[in-house]
Amino acid sequence: MAKGSIVAGCLAPHPPHLVYAENPPQNEPTSEGGWEQLRWGYERLRESLSNIDHDVLVILSPHWQTYVGTHFLGLSHFEGLSVDPIFPNLFRYSYDLNIDVELSKAIHDKAANAGLAVKMMENPDFRVDYGTITTGHMVNPAFDKPMVVISSNRSRHYYSVEVMQEMMMELGRATRDAILESGKKAVVLASNSLSHRHFTTESDVPEDMSKEHIASHAMHLWDMRIIDYMRTGQAQRIIDEMPEFTEQAIAESDGGGLTWLLSTLTVPSYPAILHGYGTIIGTGNAIVEWPCYLHQEV
Amino acid sequence: MANPIVASYVVPVHPHPLLVPEKNEGWQRLRNAFDEAREHIAQGDADLMIIYSTTWPSIIGHQIQADPNPTWTLVDQDFHDLGSMDYSFRIDTDFAEAWNSANHARGLQSRTVAYNGFPIDVGSVVALKLLNPDNAIPAVIVSSNVYANRSETTILAKSCLDVLKSTGKKAVAVTAMSMSNRMFTEFIDAADDKIHSLKDDEWNRKVLQFLEEGRLEDVAQLSRTIHQQIRVQKVVTFKPMWWLSAMNDNRNDLTGKVLAYEALHGAGGAVVHLDPTSNGMGDKEYDEDDVEVYRGDRNVLDAEDSTVPHPVDSTNEGPDLWDPAEGEGAVNTDSAPKPVGLYPHARRVGDLLYLSGVGPRQPGTNAIPGGPIRDADGQPLEYDIKAQTRAVVENIARILEEAGSSMEKVVDVTSFLVDMDRDFTGYNEVWAETLGHYGPTRTTLAIRALPTPIAVEMKVIAKI
Ligand SMILES: [Fe+2]
């Protein structure tokens, strides 16, 4: 069997606002648009990925929050209605997606061998989290590629960002090893935003872009600092500064997705492509691609 | 009007007592406690069950469930292997809408949600399925706002009470919450479940002892401390106690009973019943501010709270100057010197007028006729007590005029001199020429200092 590979790694945030603004047939609420900078960013990412042959999307979403270990969707098919509990006015989405259970199980087993607490999720009534659905839609609206969906272990809440990173680095290595052994070509996706301080009010027209801006200057500075590291091939510095970033920018990287992503890419020292940056009710969101296929070491 | 809360309950959020009580004796005891609470509620006369759930976080204010019949199958994000939870609830949508409006009336951001398939949270589902299995009484569910602090959470309860009182409904108040919420991060055998740490266990028992003694407001005021000690540091803090205490008029003399306390995968799960009957212990004093209206976003990134009054002039030597305070019966005038604190020039009560202490400072310039008694370094200066006393009387006359009174109507004066030996004679001469002429009673005291470098100040009561 040919050796598998990670062909691209992406930071692919999941605000439901982006799906809402697009008015796809799967989503019930309708809008007059909005957040175009980010949606054009996703357009560029989709265009880029369409030129890279891949078999599977591997995603870690901060909205499947597990406190007891890391979980993997473990059935081959899920469908249903996803309603965002925080923005139900924006996101009521009918989803239908397939899981690459074989690869999920392989990552699960590798992670278990590495000493992580892991579990397969095999309850057919389970509702897939809206972060996975949103990122899944923005990256591949047809949902025509199988996915591996990994929960976000909230070890940061129990211990510290340092412990979270240790576990996520390990999970990243397990993910990478399993993908290489599988013979499949995978795109790995961390579904999280950067700075994460929300506004606590919403305008009558949620897509009113005259109201949209970063929550504070400090949040902007942090976002730009992290993006700069991404664009200049300094992923290790992101790992190094993750504790400060996570605390001071209340960053959604606390869910481990970004650390895990960088670990699956063996902490890349080549530049990433910034497809877009924008704010969503005050939070900072970047769409970033590491074009691994240009930097294969094998 | 009597408080409309006929009973309050604290219940745990994890699904074990609902789905697999038989797998662990402690889970079964929690289930039995739920059953006991359910029977007690059924025997009571509540019209409504109100649930504040910590497993329903919200960002845009608080959200209130308003779907008349939410129906779905819930699977827990962590404990999906324990089974699925079918639910079909009866929600009092009129109450939900009225509560939402009452929140707005008190300045609180909130909205109702009524969408097919809305994911009702595990804490609410467990509570409603076990406490109200046949939807015997309609329910209302409210979220826990991740950014809300005590004031928002208290207002949320007060607006809920507003609606209960206006509709004449009686309600059971339920908080779905863990005590200590640290779970084991590993998978464990059901038989091995225990509280995660001795420290968590000790804190849980202390909190439960308070609740058993009916000291709900004490627990509420310890909320932040409890959160720091036994709660995983998530954004949703130990705030349900703020809500529940406000729902019970911040009382500390309820009749409490802990029906069960057990571990749920390491977290502290307790079923507690709080009856509004006074336990006779006496209500303890109330420390924290009691808020009635929410004043808007807290602007956590801005240092200054615009709702707190501030001095208007901090540039002069000596104390900062303030705009005179407004309030019932307040009398203020630009023709008298600005106060050195948050108080009015005078206050009218019935046909009497009480003046704040009046000194000689000149309105506008803040200059002191006759000169200050010391320089900026505190070195004594020569000054003219007669000029200062005349200036005091002129300021008094201006305030009296503003209030529609006059010098003839002054009833009583208290005078303060910083140097009785030096100044009494001069002060007394001016008195005789001015106020003394109209015959008010008078008391003169020697004091060590006044807030500004002046030698004399008078406190006046007059008729209007
Ligand atoms: Fe998110």
Side-chain angles (χ1 to χ4, degrees):
Chain A
M1 189 166 62
K3 200 171 179 192
S5 62
I6 295 175
V7 294
C10 310
L11 181 62
H14 56 257
H17 303 66
L18 300 181
V19 175
Y20 163 72
E22 197 187 287
N23 295 315
Q26 299 101 317
N27 199 34
E28 195 189 320
T30 54
S31 72
E32 299 179 296
W35 301 282
E36 281 76 9
Q37 299 287 344
L38 278 164
R39 292 197 288 125
W40 294 332
Y42 262 116
E43 226 172 85
R44 290 187 283 271
L45 174 62
R46 287 196 294 271
E47 172 67 21
S48 180
L49 293 180
S50 72
N51 296 322
I52 311 168
D53 186 28
H54 59 285
D55 309 307
V56 59
L57 300 166
V58 181
I59 181 171
L60 193 151
S61 162
H63 290 286
W64 181 9
Q65 305 192 351
T66 53
Y67 292 86
V68 192
T70 297
H71 300 221
F72 301 78
L73 288 187
L75 297 172
S76 61
H77 181 245
F78 287 91
E79 63 176 277
L81 177 67
S82 174
V83 179
D84 183 332
I86 290 166
F87 299 100
N89 51 327
L90 309 183
F91 191 77
R92 305 190 294 279
Y93 185 101
S94 297
Y95 65 91
D96 186 333
L97 58 88
N98 293 311
I99 299 296
D100 183 338
V101 179
E102 192 186 16
L103 182 56
S104 301
K105 189 74 168 63
I107 301 172
H108 167 279
D109 293 350
K110 290 264 182 218
N113 286 339
L116 296 174
V118 286
K119 185 172 234 168
M120 297 298 285
M121 202 306 298
E122 292 164 341
N123 186 325
D125 297 329
F126 190 80
R127 177 143 57 171
V128 179
D129 73 280
Y130 64 94
T132 295
I133 307 289
T134 302
T135 293
H137 175 92
M138 295 311 293
V139 171
N140 176 30
F143 281 95
D144 56 2
K145 294 222 190 277
M147 302 173 80
V148 170
V149 176
I150 307 176
S151 80
S152 164
N153 179 276
R154 309 313 273 192
S155 51
R156 179 261 181 283
H157 294 316
Y158 280 86
Y159 304 107
S160 63
V161 175
E162 286 82 353
V163 171
M164 176 278 280
Q165 292 221 103
E166 239 176 75
M167 293 169 68
M168 288 302 113
M169 292 301 284
E170 199 59 54
L171 184 65
R173 284 188 283 272
T175 304
R176 179 180 186 81
D177 291 350
I179 290 170
L180 296 189
E181 277 180 25
S182 73
K184 290 168 184 164
K185 295 190 182 74
V187 170
V188 291
L189 302 161
S191 168
N192 57 260
S193 28
L194 296 176
S195 70
H196 209 57
R197 170 71 205 195
H198 303 85
F199 300 139
T200 54
T201 55
E202 188 178 58
S203 47
D204 291 339
V205 179
E207 60 269 36
D208 179 353
M209 288 298 101
S210 71
K211 303 290 194 309
E212 188 61 77
H213 58 84
I214 191 77
S216 74
H217 182 52
M219 299 289 158
H220 178 76
L221 293 180
W222 262 118
D223 285 351
M224 293 309 116
R225 185 181 178 95
I226 297 297
I227 287 172
D228 193 49
Y229 291 154
M230 293 174 177
R231 299 179 71 191
T232 54
Q234 301 186 79
Q236 183 60 48
R237 295 193 67 161
I238 301 175
I239 302 283
D240 294 344
E241 293 182 20
M242 192 68 79
E244 288 77 15
F245 172 55
T246 300
E247 185 185 337
Q248 293 173 21
I250 325 166
E252 219 183 11
S253 54
D254 68 341
L258 183 53
T259 305
W260 164 82
L261 172 70
L262 295 176
S263 172
T264 66
L265 306 178
T266 60
V267 192
S269 53
Y270 50 86
I273 304 161
L274 176 69
H275 288 300
Y277 174 83
T279 67
I280 292 180
I281 57 161
T283 68
N285 293 266
I287 299 159
V288 182
E289 177 191 356
W290 280 267
C292 317
Y293 66 99
L294 297 176
H295 302 270
Q296 293 297 5
E297 75 274 32
V298 287
Chain B
M1 184 177 178
N3 185 291
I5 303 301
V6 296
S8 300
Y9 290 92
V10 176
V11 296
V13 294
H14 297 302
H16 308 64
L18 172 67
L19 292 173
V20 287
E22 69 285 354
K23 288 198 172 173
N24 173 291
E25 288 177 3
W27 302 349
Q28 184 65 57
R29 282 192 288 272
L30 281 171
R31 174 58 173 269
N32 296 345
F34 266 110
D35 291 345
E36 189 181 337
R38 183 198 72 224
E39 281 165 28
H40 189 269
I41 293 166
Q43 285 159 15
D45 57 352
D47 307 303
L48 188 66
M49 179 172 290
I50 306 168
I51 298 189
Y52 176 102
S53 179
T54 55
T55 50
W56 182 11
S58 60
I59 289 171
I60 309 295
H62 289 87
Q63 298 194 137
I64 303 169
Q65 183 57 243
D67 180 350
N69 180 214
T71 303
W72 205 258
T73 300
L74 173 67
V75 177
D76 189 81
Q77 303 221 337
D78 262 297
F79 303 110
H80 39 79
D81 52 340
L82 299 184
S84 307
M85 294 168 265
D86 293 327
Y87 64 77
S88 177
F89 297 135
R90 179 158 71 106
I91 299 294
D92 186 337
T93 56
D94 290 344
F95 191 91
E97 294 297 344
W99 188 0
N100 189 45
S101 302
N103 282 337
H104 296 166
R106 283 182 181 262
L108 196 65
Q109 172 95 16
S110 78
R111 67 183 177 200
T112 56
V113 294
Y115 302 106
N116 174 42
F118 183 92
I120 296 188
D121 62 286
V122 62
S124 298
V125 169
V126 170
L128 276 174
K129 280 184 75 83
L130 288 178
L131 295 178
N132 191 31
D134 306 317
N135 293 314
I137 44 180
V140 181
I141 309 170
V142 70
S143 70
S144 179
N145 180 279
V146 300
Y147 294 116
N149 211 319
R150 181 173 169 278
S151 57
E152 291 98 315
T153 312
T154 298
I155 295 299
L156 179 72
K158 290 194 174 181
S159 49
C160 186
L161 291 174
D162 290 343
V163 182
L164 286 169
K165 287 171 184 170
S166 70
T167 57
K169 290 192 174 177
K170 294 183 186 137
V172 171
V174 178
T175 52
M177 61 187 290
S178 295
M179 301 269 111
S180 62
N181 69 348
R182 180 178 285 270
M183 292 191 282
F184 291 108
T185 54
E186 309 270 307
F187 304 99
I188 59 167
D189 284 337
D192 297 338
D193 203 357
K194 60 180 190 221
I195 298 293
H196 186 277
S197 72
L198 180 60
K199 179 207 64 164
D200 285 4
D201 190 36
E202 286 170 345
W203 270 97
N204 288 339
R205 288 178 191 281
K206 188 70 194 168
V207 173
L208 291 171
Q209 181 197 331
F210 275 37
L211 292 178
E212 179 106 12
E213 292 168 1
R215 297 163 65 183
L216 178 57
E217 177 56 19
D218 276 350
V219 175
Q221 293 201 17
L222 283 168
S223 176
R224 295 180 186 90
T225 304
I226 294 167
H227 181 70
Q228 283 164 6
Q229 294 296 336
I230 56 169
R231 304 280 293 183
V232 169
Q233 301 295 306
K234 290 189 293 182
V235 276
V236 177
T237 61
F238 201 69
K239 54 184 80 159
M241 289 291 111
W242 287 329
W243 181 79
L244 196 63
S245 184
M247 290 293 282
N248 283 280
D249 297 332
N250 304 98
R251 283 176 53 199
N252 240 344
D253 63 343
L254 303 168
T255 299
K257 187 168 185 215
V258 177
L259 304 180
Y261 163 56
E262 302 288 345
L264 288 168
H265 205 92
V271 178
V272 182
H273 175 203
L274 293 160
D275 187 287
T277 308
S278 172
N279 63 14
M281 290 284 281
D283 211 357
K284 306 292 191 303
E285 79 277 13
Y286 182 65
D287 295 327
E288 288 200 64
D289 269 1
D290 195 14
V291 283
E292 295 296 340
V293 174
Y294 183 55
R295 303 277 179 199
D297 205 342
R298 284 170 293 112
N299 290 325
V300 291
L301 299 172
D302 294 337
E304 196 145 304
D305 183 348
S306 61
T307 64
V308 177
H310 290 285
V312 291
D313 183 358
S314 308
T315 56
N316 63 305
E317 286 171 6
D320 295 343
L321 300 184
W322 295 62
D323 273 335
E326 295 299 337
E328 193 186 340
V331 176
N332 295 310
T333 172
D334 288 340
S335 60
K338 281 198 184 300
V340 294
L342 186 64
Y343 54 83
H345 285 128
R347 188 161 184 183
R348 189 185 289 121
V349 181
D351 60 356
L352 283 178
L353 186 71
Y354 294 78
L355 272 65
S356 296
V358 180
R361 282 180 300 122
Q362 293 300 282
T365 65
N366 216 34
I368 299 168
I373 66 169
R374 58 175 185 270
D375 67 14
D377 301 322
Q379 297 303 313
L381 297 172
E382 264 310 309
Y383 61 91
D384 179 351
I385 184 61
K386 290 167 82 169
Q388 282 206 15
T389 307
R390 253 181 233 109
V392 170
V393 174
E394 283 160 13
N395 280 336
I396 290 169
R398 292 191 191 105
I399 296 168
L400 291 171
E401 186 187 353
E402 179 71 25
S405 178
S406 61
M407 299 285 268
E408 304 90 81
K409 295 183 177 172
V410 172
V411 178
D412 179 55
V413 177
T414 309
S415 300
F416 305 91
L417 301 177
V418 297
D419 191 339
M420 186 72 81
D421 294 343
R422 177 188 185 282
D423 292 339
F424 182 78
T425 306
Y427 146 81
N428 217 18
E429 279 178 27
V430 177
W431 170 270
E433 293 162 12
T434 56
L435 275 164
H437 189 67
Y438 303 107
T441 53
R442 187 190 87 176
T443 310
T444 304
L445 304 168
I447 56 167
R448 194 175 62 80
L450 287 160
T452 54
I454 58 175
V456 55
E457 179 171 311
M458 294 184 196
K459 173 90 182 81
V460 172
I461 300 170
K463 283 174 55 167
I464 296 175

